[in-house]
Amino acid sequence: MPLDSPVRLGIQVQPQHAEYHAIRDTVLRLEELGVDIAFNWDHFYPLSGDRDGKHFEAWTILGAWAEQTERIEFGTLVSCNSYRNADLQADMARTLDHISAKGGTGRFIFGTGSGWFERDYDEYGYEFGTPGTRLKALAGALPRIEARWAKLNPGPTRKIPVMIGGKGEQKTLRIVARHADIWHSFVAPDDLPHKLDVLKRWGDEVGRDVSQITVSNELTRRRVDLEYADALYDAGVRMFTLGISGPDYDLAPVTEWMAWRDAKNG
């Protein structure tokens, strides 16, 4: 992994329990604060609190973020591959790339995964299948997405970074080794060396040097203190993500983690 890379902080503005103006204003404030990346998530219902509470769709939001921001990178942590045709995803991603470029290069990060939230599938009429069938679909979609990016006119303004979420050793990490620029997971520091070794073995098998894949991890799945974050850093993590939820989107933890990021970056 590129251990000499700077630490980057991504904030997942969870699009739940809030009016849209609160989401919009939060992203603008994150950019002003100097956060590196703004993420949302790709679900149709809240994942915490009132499960029938207010909620907004991810990719529509990304179009607004692409236009209203100037510096911050953005994306979905992560999109569900099942919800959109692969070629359509590629075209949507390319379009977001151009909307956000503003005379330079785009700022969109294409995060993707196989999907897991069964209610989304049931309520919106998608076939839930099994973890295996959903991973097979993801593995089939990524070459189509890459091929479509090569065909589109105009093409993307840059190589759109691909972020893949998950930790499964037999299928997910093989997909990561072949396609990802960023690998995102919730893996604990003690387990990361083993997972990275598996990733390297898959890289060797598919003929790719995985040493430049950025390792990303969560600051929110459990109570994470500075010691835990330091351990993730020592294990090779260089992108850290923090989730915040509506209705109020408390930014106090964001400023604390930004101070930690800045100290790591010297």
Side-chain angles (χ1 to χ4, degrees):
M1 309 308 114
L3 299 182
D4 57 346
S5 299
V7 170
R8 305 183 71 215
L9 180 63
I11 304 301
Q12 185 187 57
V13 183
Q14 299 164 357
Q16 61 177 7
H17 307 309
E19 300 292 345
Y20 183 71
H21 69 80
I23 298 171
R24 178 196 63 224
D25 294 348
T26 297
V27 170
L28 290 174
R29 180 61 179 147
L30 292 174
E31 183 167 59
E32 292 172 358
L33 288 172
V35 167
D36 298 294
I37 310 160
F39 291 114
N40 59 18
W41 66 28
D42 192 18
H43 296 291
F44 305 132
Y45 295 92
L47 298 186
S48 63
D50 179 1
R51 298 305 175 96
D52 292 310
K54 295 174 182 176
H55 199 278
F56 291 98
E57 192 276 329
W59 280 74
T60 313
I61 289 174
L62 295 179
W65 289 3
E67 185 61 48
Q68 75 186 39
T69 60
E70 299 290 336
R71 178 200 58 80
I72 198 168
E73 290 191 289
F74 64 97
T76 294
L77 186 64
V78 291
S79 290
C80 176
N81 176 68
S82 306
Y83 300 160
R84 301 162 194 88
N85 169 278
D87 292 83
L88 174 61
Q89 292 181 65
D91 204 341
M92 293 166 71
R94 180 280 311 255
T95 301
L96 288 171
D97 171 74
H98 277 266
I99 294 171
S100 65
K102 303 190 177 179
T105 57
R107 295 174 284 118
F108 176 64
I109 295 173
F110 181 70
T112 189
S114 60
W116 63 272
F117 189 38
E118 189 169 4
R119 184 184 182 188
D120 283 348
Y121 287 80
D122 292 344
E123 295 271 7
Y124 277 65
Y126 298 108
E127 182 179 351
F128 188 56
T130 67
T133 60
R134 295 194 299 275
L135 279 166
K136 182 178 180 180
L138 177 63
L142 283 162
R144 288 177 56 188
I145 290 167
E146 293 163 354
R148 180 58 57 185
W149 281 338
K151 295 176 183 178
L152 288 169
N153 183 16
T157 67
R158 65 171 182 170
K159 182 188 181 302
I160 297 175
V162 174
M163 176 174 64
I164 297 175
K167 65 178 183 178
E169 296 180 10
Q170 297 304 312
K171 296 180 180 180
T172 301
L173 289 182
R174 183 176 187 175
I175 299 170
V176 170
R178 186 179 294 277
H179 298 284
D181 302 290
I182 304 165
W183 169 48
H184 181 79
S185 77
F186 310 110
V187 175
D190 290 346
D191 297 328
L192 268 172
H194 169 70
K195 295 291 185 181
L196 292 174
D197 183 62
V198 173
L199 180 60
K200 183 181 184 303
R201 295 202 303 269
W202 278 123
D204 292 342
E205 179 163 322
V206 303
R208 184 178 177 213
D209 177 8
V210 300
S211 65
Q212 297 305 303
I213 295 177
T214 297
V215 181
S216 172
N217 207 297
E218 294 278 342
L219 296 170
T220 54
R221 182 53 65 95
R222 64 180 77 193
R223 181 180 177 83
V224 178
D225 56 20
L226 294 179
E227 182 179 353
Y228 188 86
D230 286 340
L232 287 173
Y233 177 87
D234 292 341
V237 176
R238 290 298 180 269
M239 180 184 291
F240 294 82
T241 62
L242 175 71
I244 56 176
S245 180
D248 298 323
Y249 296 111
D250 180 15
L251 298 186
V254 175
T255 59
E256 294 172 1
W257 284 112
M258 286 183 64
W260 178 83
R261 175 202 69 181
D262 293 346
K264 287 295 184 189
N265 292 338

